[in-house]
Amino acid sequence: MAKRLQSFALKKCQKRVCIAKDRISQLPDEVLVHILSFLTVEEAADTSVLSRRWLSLWRYIDRLDFDATKPLDKVALLPKLRKRQMKKYLRWVSCTLQMCKGQRLDQFRVCFDLNKFARHEIDKWIEFAFSRNVQRLELDLLKGGEHIRNFGYCYTFPAWLLGLGDSADSSSYIPHSNDLQILSPVKQNFKSLKVLLFKSVNVTGKVLEFFLHNCPFLETMAVHGSGTLVNLEVVGPSLKLRHLEIQYCYKVESLKICDTNLVTLRTSVGTKLLLKNVPMLVEVKISSAAFNHILNDISSCLSCVISQLVVLHLTTHSWFKLSQEKLEHYNFPQLTKLKKFVLTICGQKDRSLLGCTSIIRAAPQLKEFELQLISGCSVQTVRECRKAAIKCRLHHLKVVKLWGFYSGAAHVELVRYFLENAIALEKIIFDPRTPMPTRFPLDPLFVKKAQTARNLAKLHLEGEVPPDIELVIL
């Protein structure tokens, strides 16, 4: 009897499966194409095997994200594969664009280790994107997918495409048609741009200013690692730009930002920065080789906006040249509206971290503090912990996050400072993982050090942090 019931239930289940309807395929083409647009190009193209209905749907997607995470991971492990993977990537993108039938693009993203020798193909890809009124153009050509390339080998953005003629650093390259239709500069439609991102792309200030003044919807511009960017002016209340990044462009001589409604600024050219009348600017990230340079940037370049900042991120790749005692007594300008402060520095064995408290004291409204330590090693120090030279009540600080390596006494004395002064503190987070992302698999030795850091942090901090404050060790 039991076997009969089991057989009946199985047949009933099979019948249900057989009569189940594919409701997704019943949706209109426009809806399916919209859904597919949230996938990468490779993922969207894979849906063509589902049925005849799905065979060509992916060709109409309006977001072309040519993500190459897996190939780049392979190249990171075996650099000799780079040339082969680059050829495969070039063929893949070019062949895909020939099959695409959409008339407009929300996004066109290229992300691979490509240099100036891929100029011909990349030029055609950009033309394709412009011809379809692209709104978000991203050329992420970092070396290995994560490093700034030698400027001499960077791909150069084709100024002729905008009717500006050859850029100063390019050769007398004349475009020619091959696989994709070439449009004359006059017919290029770039006015729909909202986001423009260049990484390891040589681009001049003349080109960037052209985009700023001829793209009425351009809100975000990011340039990382350009060797031909020398002068850039972001000037005028009519500009739509809200977010600007100019990072690792080491030949910049001046960056002028005046009379705009910019909201966020991230730059590594603080000493070349001129800010004037930017009332909406509330978030700034400044990177510099030396911490004392950053102090100068805060005192001079940021003086006109320092009182309106809500988020401030300072990054330096060298340790404090000032002594910790002098830094603790450093007279920072008042950051009266600052809510979040992030400090990224290269740590050093056994060096005190209390110097950063001088900035914290200057921010009476601070709610979140994040310290990122890079290029260090977790060690159990033997020196005695010391107290901060100056006490200051922190009435609003609720969250403290400590990234990177664990330095024993230096961390303990910093945590003690917050416990003594931050009367509203709710959470302390310690994460020994590096804040700098990498494609390489984690070295077993690094994994072991990270676990040692967790154990030391737990040993040292659990006894310090009272039960009413949450201690999280990731």
Side-chain angles (χ1 to χ4, degrees):
M1 182 67 177
K3 288 184 178 180
R4 288 182 180 179
L5 289 174
Q6 185 177 4
S7 177
F8 174 76
L10 182 60
K11 290 180 179 179
K12 189 175 181 180
C13 181
Q14 290 175 340
K15 186 176 181 181
R16 286 177 179 172
V17 172
C18 291
I19 62 174
K21 293 183 179 180
D22 179 7
R23 297 188 181 276
I24 294 180
S25 294
Q26 294 178 355
L27 294 172
D29 287 353
E30 294 78 8
V31 175
L32 294 177
V33 170
H34 179 70
I35 294 173
L36 291 179
S37 293
F38 289 95
L39 306 177
T40 65
V41 174
E42 186 176 14
E43 292 168 339
D46 286 343
T47 63
S48 63
V49 302
L50 295 177
S51 68
R52 185 176 297 178
R53 167 81 188 286
W54 290 80
L55 188 61
S56 298
L57 283 177
W58 72 271
R59 298 186 180 189
Y60 294 90
I61 60 176
D62 56 13
R63 297 180 185 177
L64 297 179
D65 181 2
F66 290 97
D67 180 77
T69 299
K70 292 180 180 179
L72 285 172
D73 289 343
K74 292 179 181 178
V75 173
L77 292 173
L78 292 172
K80 65 180 181 180
L81 296 177
R82 180 191 170 278
K83 191 172 182 179
R84 184 194 310 171
Q85 293 293 338
M86 181 187 71
K87 290 181 178 179
K88 288 178 63 176
Y89 187 87
L90 293 175
R91 286 197 302 268
W92 173 47
V93 177
S94 295
C95 292
T96 301
L97 296 188
Q98 290 178 353
M99 292 186 284
C100 288
K101 298 181 179 180
Q103 297 303 307
R104 55 180 294 275
L105 282 178
D106 282 349
Q107 179 188 30
F108 182 80
R109 176 174 180 258
V110 173
C111 180
F112 197 75
D113 182 349
L114 300 176
N115 56 30
K116 65 180 182 179
F117 299 109
R119 178 180 61 185
H120 177 61
E121 289 85 355
I122 301 174
D123 283 355
K124 291 187 295 180
W125 301 346
I126 296 174
E127 290 179 291
F128 177 90
F130 280 156
S131 70
R132 282 155 177 77
N133 306 301
V134 65
Q135 295 185 25
R136 184 183 184 100
L137 178 64
E138 302 178 47
L139 298 181
D140 186 346
L141 312 183
L142 293 175
K143 186 176 181 180
E146 57 185 2
H147 301 296
I148 297 299
R149 190 184 306 281
N150 182 303
F151 294 153
Y153 288 91
C154 286
Y155 164 78
T156 298
F157 183 87
W160 58 262
L161 200 62
L162 306 175
L164 298 177
D166 291 339
S167 55
D169 63 305
S170 65
S171 60
S172 55
Y173 169 66
I174 300 176
H176 59 277
S177 177
N178 188 5
D179 300 318
L180 299 174
Q181 182 181 3
I182 301 295
L183 300 178
S184 63
V186 178
K187 295 182 180 179
Q188 299 296 341
N189 196 337
F190 42 77
K191 294 184 179 295
S192 298
L193 273 177
K194 294 182 178 179
V195 177
L196 189 63
L197 183 147
F198 293 142
K199 291 186 178 182
S200 281
V201 175
N202 281 337
V203 60
T204 64
K206 183 179 180 181
V207 168
L208 295 179
E209 289 173 16
F210 179 91
F211 281 120
L212 286 172
H213 293 282
N214 291 277
C215 301
F217 307 107
L218 186 60
E219 293 187 350
T220 300
M221 176 182 286
V223 181
H224 293 199
S226 170
T228 56
L229 182 56
V230 179
N231 300 301
L232 177 62
E233 292 191 1
V234 182
V235 179
S238 62
L239 298 185
K240 186 76 171 179
L241 195 70
R242 297 294 181 268
H243 313 284
L244 177 65
E245 291 185 31
I246 305 294
Q247 299 274 31
Y248 316 114
C249 301
Y250 301 119
K251 294 187 178 182
V252 169
E253 296 179 0
S254 70
L255 173 59
K256 183 179 180 181
I257 305 174
C258 299
D259 304 321
T260 73
N261 292 316
L262 198 69
V263 176
T264 65
L265 171 65
R266 299 179 180 182
T267 182
S268 56
V269 295
T271 56
K272 314 294 176 60
L273 178 64
L274 172 62
L275 288 175
K276 184 179 179 182
N277 190 25
V278 279
M280 303 294 290
L281 186 61
V282 294
E283 180 176 343
V284 170
K285 178 180 179 180
I286 296 285
S287 304
S288 180
F291 194 79
N292 56 322
H293 291 168
I294 288 184
L295 300 184
N296 294 333
D297 293 342
I298 293 176
S299 302
S300 57
C301 304
L302 298 181
S303 59
C304 69
V305 298
I306 201 74
S307 62
Q308 66 192 49
L309 294 183
V310 176
V311 179
L312 177 62
H313 187 165
L314 304 180
T315 298
T316 179
H317 300 293
S318 67
W319 188 246
F320 306 126
K321 291 189 176 180
L322 296 174
S323 68
Q324 290 301 300
E325 290 74 17
K326 288 184 179 180
L327 193 59
E328 280 186 74
H329 291 86
Y330 192 90
N331 187 23
F332 277 92
Q334 286 294 300
L335 300 136
T336 54
K337 294 185 179 180
L338 196 69
K339 297 293 192 299
K340 181 176 181 179
F341 174 44
V342 182
L343 177 62
T344 302
I345 57 175
C346 286
Q348 234 178 24
K349 179 181 177 180
D350 229 16
R351 292 292 300 271
S352 176
L353 300 170
L354 290 174
C356 65
T357 60
S358 56
I359 307 179
I360 296 171
R361 292 197 308 271
Q365 300 298 320
L366 192 68
K367 291 186 177 181
E368 183 177 350
F369 171 69
E370 186 172 324
L371 176 65
Q372 303 177 352
L373 293 181
I374 56 178
S375 301
C377 57
S378 298
V379 291
Q380 186 171 4
T381 55
V382 294
R383 72 171 175 84
E384 293 292 326
C385 293
R386 68 180 186 85
K387 288 190 175 183
I390 302 175
K391 290 186 177 181
C392 178
R393 284 292 184 218
L394 308 172
H395 295 278
H396 302 281
L397 186 64
K398 294 184 177 182
V399 178
V400 172
K401 184 167 186 179
L402 308 173
W403 277 85
F405 80 96
Y406 181 71
S407 60
H411 272 84
V412 172
E413 60 194 17
L414 185 62
V415 168
R416 286 179 178 174
Y417 172 82
F418 288 123
L419 293 176
E420 292 173 4
N421 295 280
I423 59 179
L425 191 61
E426 297 177 355
K427 182 184 292 188
I428 298 175
I429 304 169
F430 173 69
D431 189 343
R433 294 169 294 182
T434 174
M436 311 299 287
T438 177
R439 292 189 175 276
F440 291 96
L442 293 178
D443 184 271
L445 182 60
F446 177 84
V447 175
K448 185 177 180 180
K449 286 183 176 181
Q451 187 56 49
T452 301
R454 292 186 184 94
N455 296 337
L456 287 174
K458 186 175 182 181
L459 176 66
H460 293 161
L461 301 181
E462 277 191 341
E464 299 281 344
V465 180
D468 58 320
I469 297 176
E470 183 181 2
L471 175 63
V472 180
I473 300 177
L474 300 175

